[in-house]
Amino acid sequence: MKKQFKGVLASVVTAGLVFGATVASAGSHSAETIKVGVLHSLSGTMAISETTLKDTMLMLIEEQNKKGGLLGKQLEAVVVDPASDWPLFAEKTRELLTKDKVDSIFGCWTSVSRKSVLPVIEELNGLLFYPVQYEGEESSKNVFYTGAAPNQQAIPAVEYLMEQGVKRWVLAGTDYVYPRTTNKILEAYLKSKGVAEEDIMINYTPFGHSDWQSIVADVKKFGSAGKKTAVVSTINGDANVPFYKELGNQGVDAESIPVVAFSVGEEELSGFDTKPLVGHLAAWNYFMSVENDANAEFIKKWKAFTKDDKRVTNDPMEAHVIGFNLWVQAVEKAGTTDTDAVAKAIIGLETPNLTGGIAKMLPNHHITKPVLIGEIQEDGQFEVVSETDGTVAGDAWSDFLPGSKDLVSDWTDPMNCGNYNTVEKKCVGAVAAK
Amino acid sequence: MRPTSIAIRHWVFAFILSLIAGFSTAVHADEAIFQGGIENLLAKSFNDKTQGAQQIAESGDDRAEQILKALLDRQLFSTKSDKTLVFFDKDTDATQAKQVVSGEILPVTDVKSLQRIRTNNKMRGVIKRLIANIQLSNPDPVKRLAAVKEIMGKVTSDQIDAVKTLSESEPNAEVKREMETLVQLSELQSSDEDVVKAAIIGLKGNMNQQVRPKLEDLLTSESAEIAASAKTTLEAINKKVTWYGHLETLFFGLSLGSVLVLAAIGLAITFGVMGVINMAHGELIMIGAYTTYTIQHYIMPNYPGVSLILSIPAAFVVAGLVGIIIEKTVIRHLYGRPLETLLATFGISLILQQAVRSIFSPLNRSVETPEWMSGSIQINEVLSLTLNRLYVIAFCLVVFAALFIVLKKTSLGLQVRAVSQNRGMARAMGVKASKVDAMTFGLGAGIAGIAGVALSQLTNVGPNLGQSYIIDSFMVVVFGGVGNLWGTLISGFSLGIANKFMEPYAGAVLAKILVLVFIILFIQKRPRGLFPQKGRAADS
């Protein structure tokens, strides 16, 4: 009881008075359970995206318990609320690992929260499953990246647009680590494909930017030079609504200047007025609209679990499903929840994803994923217009950045290193210098 | 039976179309090509489908325009059972579909028995141009104009000849000018120097977006004469474009300024007049926005326009009431203790945010923009004013005027000013100071709610809406001079305009920082802002 009280108190201090947030450990504490930490913001800015993932985890754990649990024990979710506060992510991780003694953690959304957790999870030797598409350039012994690396989302999207005849590129992003790194990779990639410097326009805006008039006017001007132009958007969720609205109002439609977004999914679209977005593109590894038995069943379960017939599913949810299933398999294979044994057992394991393919955990702690390009529909769903044949293996270190193209990650023997330099033939260390 | 004139027009149009499509020999609709097109539309790959659309346009068939339009509007389906193309519109009639080829009506019992002919972005681009080609000879000049603009710069030499012929008989001056621009643009690439020179002269002062890049290409022309002529024309155009560019930036600045003023004006009352550091001001704006959402979504879901107008008084009342409750329960106990007020109102702002998260969900809510607020007014080729921004500027001025009248002309306004200037004296004159405090705070909060209605049209309606405006609001009020409504207006607009003029050079992030640095320096020099309050009350 004391622990529960403290958990609540902590979030009260940080988030003011929290109304109705379910910050408590679910179920009773008995020695006979395997504990799963759920580290997602339930209040603050990121609650918009992360609350859904917490619910997904609770659903998966409930389902596994119905099947008889794991290793003969019941699973128990330990939910904490890091309140969109990056340093608090580290504190909560420490709390989960030292006080609650969880066996694995599923959590984080933003890259900055993951970077904040990283030193703690490595120090205390825990396991983190990270479900969101990210900028790559990282491979930790203790983290499993079930979201897309840039070569599983950004680069295939740009390739698709090139096939569609796009010659001029606007790389627009919110000013933080994910867009900056992704755009650096994309810029290098585009240049390697012969795109000239003056055909690339890069623009950064602050978080939650809402006045897009000048930028859209610039994009329009940039796109009027006679070459087919597209916008590659790493604009963070919230700022997208005014951006697309401004595009619509200034008469830029999806046919003249298409926008491909990496942060707009079904969940975000449910809060948008979709009219100005129709026909624009998004690149993900999963869409709710993919017709498939596994997906249909998952959607049905999700709607039943949330008791809401209108709830949508999205890509990071699928990543958690894959991550959780792989972890369950790994624990069963290792016969224990011990971090090192599970981390060793999980490599090479396979589980079906929700779009009809197979997700395999690779030695670099990334997984194989199909890449889907979808066009936004009026009802907030995506219509797939392009998909890769089979799956693409996630690449931790981009081949297009000078600092990382010689690096590889392989957590199996004999290399056992997250950033092995193939030229100097040595392991650089935990985190490579940028 | 059709009237003959339409039949003739169709024949003429088929003729022109075939010219445009480059099939100058085929005068009659080509059935085989049409059938081939239909077949291709049923294919799986987008390339085949695009080819199908092209074939249908080439065939010159009467149904071509309708088919292409249906394809664009997502109203072209195929039956799953025997793969026949049908027109089907779920919204108007979900019980029947019309066969494309035979024109027969097909009853639809299950929507799932039909499969939509999917299009992708590139394909829709092609279809739009094909439709534009057909519509070049549409009787409606608006459609002809749109058609010319659509194909501008994306035409083949055969098509240009067709447009040339059309332009000679074009009755509408505007359409004719666009058609001529299109022809001249292509003539710039002609091998005949005289044609190029004539085209350059013809394009003088033409601000069409396609013109400048084409002229720039000519700057390196082998003929010195052409290069010089292109250069003078280009410079003249660029000058004009730059001038309109400044006008556009000014408009952007005014519009950003009006948003700042709207957000800050409520604070100008609570902070400016009453001296309460109200950190929950942003959340009062958020409440106004959520009121708009509630009215639009739950009370009258099918009338986005009417519900938006109704939201204005509703948001004023709701946010005003919340404001009065905050004043009565918290702030009145903390008058004269600014630090504690700051902390308490910050706490209130977090409570309100989390309350909204719990009631409405942490996800953003979508507020629809009514039809009459979308789109823009095209002044000329390079300058267009977006309608929603125009409305917000006008709305901001109206709200400002209304508030000004309330403060200067009503007895409430008189009491508010009296209490804020000299509390003791006002009470001695029989003014119920505590009641006036509550009313003033309510007024400021209500105005914040109204700002929320306007912001719901520009940005996200979500729990974080308020946070993005609180800093800006304080900045505007402090810069303008605490306690001065005019100061708020002037400072909001000048900050907006300054921001927008800097943005092209410094980028959005740096422009914001520069504005902030400027204000800090300015406040060092003039601590009371642009328009400091004068008199004894201000000095105390």
Side-chain angles (χ1 to χ4, degrees):
Chain A
M1 261 333 274
K2 201 175 167 200
K3 188 175 291 162
Q4 287 192 1
F5 175 72
K6 258 195 165 166
V8 174
L9 192 73
S11 62
V12 167
V13 171
T14 50
L17 290 165
V18 179
F19 273 88
T22 49
V23 187
S25 309
S28 62
H29 293 252
S30 82
E32 291 307 305
T33 60
I34 292 178
K35 288 187 193 168
V36 180
V38 181
L39 182 70
H40 284 300
S41 301
L42 310 178
S43 55
T45 342
M46 291 312 296
I48 179 174
S49 308
E50 294 190 58
T51 316
T52 310
L53 292 184
K54 179 219 53 173
D55 291 336
T56 310
M57 283 315 298
L58 293 183
M59 178 175 92
L60 291 172
I61 289 167
E62 187 186 291
E63 205 181 301
Q64 186 67 29
N65 280 339
K66 274 187 200 148
K67 283 191 234 162
L70 191 54
L71 301 179
K73 295 178 189 169
Q74 287 283 295
L75 291 177
E76 178 193 336
V78 183
V79 179
V80 290
D81 177 17
S84 314
D85 178 358
W86 320 137
L88 198 60
F89 269 89
E91 274 173 50
K92 289 285 168 191
T93 309
R94 189 171 291 279
E95 187 184 306
L96 282 173
L97 290 173
T98 52
K99 277 182 22 211
D100 296 306
K101 301 211 176 349
V102 297
D103 297 296
S104 69
I105 298 175
F106 289 78
C108 296
W109 181 289
T110 59
S111 287
V112 46
S113 69
R114 188 191 66 251
K115 293 273 185 210
S116 147
V117 165
L118 207 56
V120 181
I121 199 113
E122 285 180 350
E123 177 200 327
L124 299 172
N125 198 21
L127 280 177
L128 173 70
F129 287 84
Y130 176 67
V132 184
Q133 105 281 10
Y134 82 120
E135 68 280 2
E137 306 301 294
E138 189 184 299
S139 178
S140 164
K141 176 174 165 285
N142 300 83
V143 183
F144 292 91
Y145 307 83
T146 51
N151 74 320
Q152 292 173 308
Q153 188 187 27
I155 288 182
V158 167
E159 271 169 357
Y160 169 75
L161 287 172
M162 279 182 159
E163 277 166 30
Q164 302 285 303
V166 173
K167 298 268 189 293
R168 244 165 121 81
W169 304 85
V170 180
L171 309 180
T174 303
D175 204 355
Y176 73 109
V177 52
Y178 165 66
R180 283 213 177 245
T181 317
T182 307
N183 284 348
K184 227 186 268 168
I185 294 171
L186 287 180
E187 196 188 353
Y189 174 78
L190 286 172
K191 282 183 180 159
S192 77
K193 294 280 165 186
V195 177
E197 178 95 47
E198 68 263 20
D199 284 335
I200 303 175
M201 168 177 153
I202 300 182
N203 182 290
Y204 291 106
T205 40
F207 263 102
H209 191 68
S210 62
D211 196 281
W212 290 93
Q213 304 177 84
S214 329
I215 292 161
V216 168
D218 282 351
V219 168
K220 231 170 116 176
K221 263 179 226 143
F222 187 77
S224 66
K227 289 181 187 167
K228 174 92 179 162
T229 306
V231 179
V232 179
S233 153
T234 37
I235 296 165
N236 184 269
D238 255 20
N240 276 299
V241 178
F243 174 60
Y244 284 105
K245 260 193 185 166
E246 194 64 41
L247 279 175
N249 279 332
Q250 293 202 18
V252 178
D253 57 19
E255 285 80 40
S256 49
I257 302 182
V259 179
V260 58
F262 303 144
S263 314
V264 178
E266 289 86 349
E267 183 96 34
E268 286 78 17
L269 283 180
S270 69
F272 287 6
D273 178 8
T274 45
K275 260 182 277 150
L277 285 87
V278 172
H280 287 297
L281 305 155
W284 289 104
N285 311 101
Y286 166 86
F287 285 121
M288 186 179 177
S289 63
V290 170
E291 281 174 19
N292 178 295
D293 289 342
N295 190 25
E297 196 198 343
F298 176 68
I299 294 169
K300 209 173 105 197
K301 272 193 294 195
W302 174 240
K303 285 181 173 169
F305 181 81
T306 55
K307 298 185 186 65
D308 181 353
D309 203 37
K310 292 206 175 83
R311 273 303 274 271
V312 292
T313 58
N314 64 11
D315 181 275
M317 283 173 70
E318 192 222 16
H320 257 346
V321 172
I322 293 169
F324 183 77
N325 287 341
L326 286 173
W327 174 73
V328 166
Q329 279 187 45
V331 171
E332 276 168 352
K333 185 176 158 196
T336 164
T337 57
D338 176 68
T339 300
D340 292 333
V342 172
K344 208 172 160 164
I346 200 167
I347 289 170
L349 288 181
E350 291 181 349
T351 184
N353 60 28
L354 297 179
T355 52
I358 295 290
K360 180 178 175 188
M361 181 56 77
L362 302 168
N364 64 0
H365 285 192
H366 289 65
I367 64 172
T368 57
K369 281 171 167 285
V371 186
L372 311 175
I373 316 274
E375 280 184 9
I376 298 170
Q377 307 290 300
E378 193 120 13
D379 58 1
Q381 290 291 331
F382 292 88
E383 183 174 290
V384 177
V385 289
S386 162
E387 60 186 298
T388 47
D389 306 324
T391 54
V392 178
D395 186 10
W397 301 99
S398 172
D399 300 338
F400 298 99
L401 287 183
S404 74
K405 63 170 188 276
D406 300 328
L407 297 178
V408 290
S409 161
D410 187 340
W411 288 105
T412 55
D413 292 326
M415 192 185 280
N416 226 337
C417 172
N419 44 10
Y420 183 82
N421 191 315
T422 48
V423 178
E424 293 167 22
K425 305 241 180 280
K426 65 172 189 201
C427 191
V428 184
V431 179
K434 279 275 152 69
Chain B
M1 273 305 282
R2 283 185 180 140
T4 29
S5 65
I6 292 186
I8 290 172
R9 199 155 64 214
H10 267 271
W11 190 84
V12 171
F13 136 97
F15 174 71
I16 291 164
L17 181 87
S18 53
L19 273 181
I20 291 168
F23 278 68
S24 45
T25 48
V27 175
H28 297 285
D30 195 322
E31 192 60 29
I33 295 180
F34 180 75
Q35 281 303 336
I38 296 283
E39 286 294 312
N40 272 333
L41 275 189
L42 289 164
K44 217 174 160 65
S45 101
F46 288 118
N47 284 342
D48 290 348
K49 283 195 245 186
T50 311
Q51 203 198 345
Q54 273 160 341
Q55 283 170 322
I56 287 175
E58 276 168 19
S59 74
D61 194 281
D62 283 359
R63 291 159 287 189
E65 187 177 350
Q66 196 192 358
I67 294 172
L68 294 176
K69 267 196 177 146
L71 204 51
L72 204 58
D73 296 341
R74 297 151 198 268
Q75 287 172 0
L76 197 67
F77 288 75
S78 74
T79 54
K80 277 184 188 163
S81 50
D82 55 355
K83 298 280 171 213
T84 35
L85 274 186
V86 293
F87 295 119
F88 177 63
D89 185 356
K90 240 185 291 201
D91 299 331
T92 54
D93 191 357
T95 59
Q96 59 178 46
K98 191 176 151 207
Q99 287 199 12
V100 170
V101 181
S102 64
E104 279 168 32
I105 300 293
L106 201 75
V108 177
T109 44
D110 183 10
V111 181
K112 285 191 179 130
S113 68
L114 298 176
Q115 192 171 22
R116 191 162 66 77
I117 304 295
R118 294 180 168 191
T119 54
N120 71 356
N121 218 304
K122 190 181 176 189
M123 185 176 169
R124 281 196 303 277
V126 173
I127 295 171
K128 275 191 172 176
R129 285 200 288 284
L130 291 172
I131 294 178
N133 273 334
I134 296 174
Q135 286 189 337
L136 277 180
S137 40
N138 192 291
D140 183 357
V142 180
K143 285 203 175 132
R144 287 203 302 273
L145 186 65
V148 188
K149 286 193 172 163
E150 182 68 43
I151 59 169
M152 187 80 73
K154 295 164 190 155
V155 279
T156 61
S157 54
D158 292 332
Q159 289 171 314
I160 286 173
D161 291 339
V163 174
K164 215 171 182 174
T165 325
L166 278 172
S167 77
E168 274 153 21
S169 58
E170 176 59 51
N172 184 297
E174 198 181 349
V175 181
K176 195 178 170 90
R177 206 176 56 232
E178 290 292 328
M179 285 181 168
E180 280 166 1
T181 306
L182 191 148
V183 174
Q184 282 160 348
L185 271 175
S186 69
E187 283 172 351
L188 287 180
Q189 281 145 335
S190 162
S191 49
D192 183 348
E193 284 195 12
D194 290 331
V195 173
V196 178
K197 277 183 222 161
I200 292 176
I201 291 167
L203 287 170
K204 202 170 225 167
N206 194 323
M207 290 192 291
N208 188 298
Q209 305 221 316
Q210 310 268 348
V211 173
R212 276 166 291 148
K214 290 265 161 64
L215 282 177
E216 269 165 31
D217 292 343
L218 284 183
L219 290 180
T220 51
S221 165
E222 283 167 18
S223 153
E225 209 177 328
I226 289 181
S229 158
K231 196 173 173 213
T232 36
T233 312
L234 186 64
E235 273 168 3
I237 297 176
N238 275 342
K239 219 171 178 178
K240 228 164 126 187
V241 169
T242 318
W243 195 78
Y244 279 110
H246 288 316
L247 263 191
E248 189 180 45
T249 314
L250 185 70
F251 172 71
F252 290 164
L254 279 178
S255 121
L256 176 63
S258 66
V259 171
L260 290 176
V261 171
L262 266 176
I265 202 165
L267 194 72
I269 297 176
T270 49
F271 176 57
V273 177
M274 297 175 73
V276 174
I277 299 180
N278 180 16
M279 296 299 285
H281 177 72
E283 278 58 43
L284 293 167
I285 297 178
M286 173 191 79
I287 287 174
Y290 269 98
T291 309
T292 316
Y293 165 75
T294 310
I295 289 185
Q296 196 182 75
H297 200 78
Y298 294 106
I299 299 177
M300 36 198 332
N302 295 320
Y303 305 94
V306 182
S307 63
L308 190 67
I309 290 168
L310 273 183
S311 305
I312 298 170
F316 180 80
V317 172
V318 174
L321 282 178
V322 173
I324 290 176
I325 294 169
I326 294 175
E327 203 275 345
K328 286 275 182 203
T329 51
V330 181
I331 292 174
R332 61 182 296 185
H333 304 293
L334 300 171
Y335 279 124
R337 289 189 280 178
L339 270 182
E340 277 141 276
T341 318
L342 189 149
L343 285 177
T345 49
F346 185 60
I348 291 171
S349 89
L350 292 174
I351 292 175
L352 289 176
Q353 275 176 37
Q354 201 61 33
V356 162
R357 271 193 201 104
S358 305
I359 297 169
F360 291 96
S361 107
L363 286 177
N364 288 336
R365 303 281 95 176
S366 74
V367 173
E368 250 180 89
T369 307
E371 211 56 59
W372 44 270
M373 269 185 84
S374 332
S376 55
I377 306 176
Q378 193 86 29
I379 307 283
N380 60 31
E381 281 290 339
V382 287
L383 182 65
S384 60
L385 307 179
T386 43
L387 275 173
N388 61 346
R389 299 282 176 175
L390 275 179
Y391 275 107
V392 170
I393 295 177
F395 184 65
C396 160
L397 294 177
V398 169
V399 170
F400 180 81
L403 188 64
F404 201 75
I405 290 169
V406 167
L407 282 184
K408 294 282 166 176
K409 303 281 178 203
T410 64
S411 63
L412 171 71
L414 188 66
Q415 291 177 356
V416 168
R417 281 181 292 144
V419 170
S420 73
Q421 279 167 20
N422 193 325
R423 197 179 182 85
M425 184 78 85
R427 288 184 65 177
M429 301 296 283
V431 176
K432 277 192 176 163
S434 63
K435 193 177 148 208
V436 171
D437 284 338
M439 293 304 285
T440 317
F441 198 85
L443 180 68
I447 300 281
I450 289 185
V453 179
L455 287 179
S456 75
Q457 291 304 310
L458 297 179
T459 181
N460 296 290
V461 178
N464 309 321
L465 170 68
Q467 284 179 329
S468 10
Y469 288 97
I470 184 75
I471 309 242
D472 286 344
S473 305
F474 270 105
M475 214 163 73
V476 169
V477 175
V478 171
F479 180 59
V482 172
N484 191 321
L485 274 190
W486 282 109
T488 305
L489 186 76
I490 307 277
S491 105
F493 277 115
S494 39
L495 288 182
I497 292 170
N499 205 325
K500 282 293 157 188
F501 270 95
M502 270 190 284
E503 219 181 274
Y505 308 103
V509 183
L510 200 59
K512 242 186 146 163
I513 297 173
L514 286 176
V515 166
L516 206 63
V517 169
F518 165 73
I519 290 179
I520 292 171
L521 293 177
F522 182 84
I523 295 297
Q524 299 302 313
K525 269 270 165 237
R526 298 187 60 166
R528 283 170 188 278
L530 273 181
F531 300 97
Q533 234 179 359
K534 293 186 191 79
R536 249 188 310 178
D539 298 326
S540 61

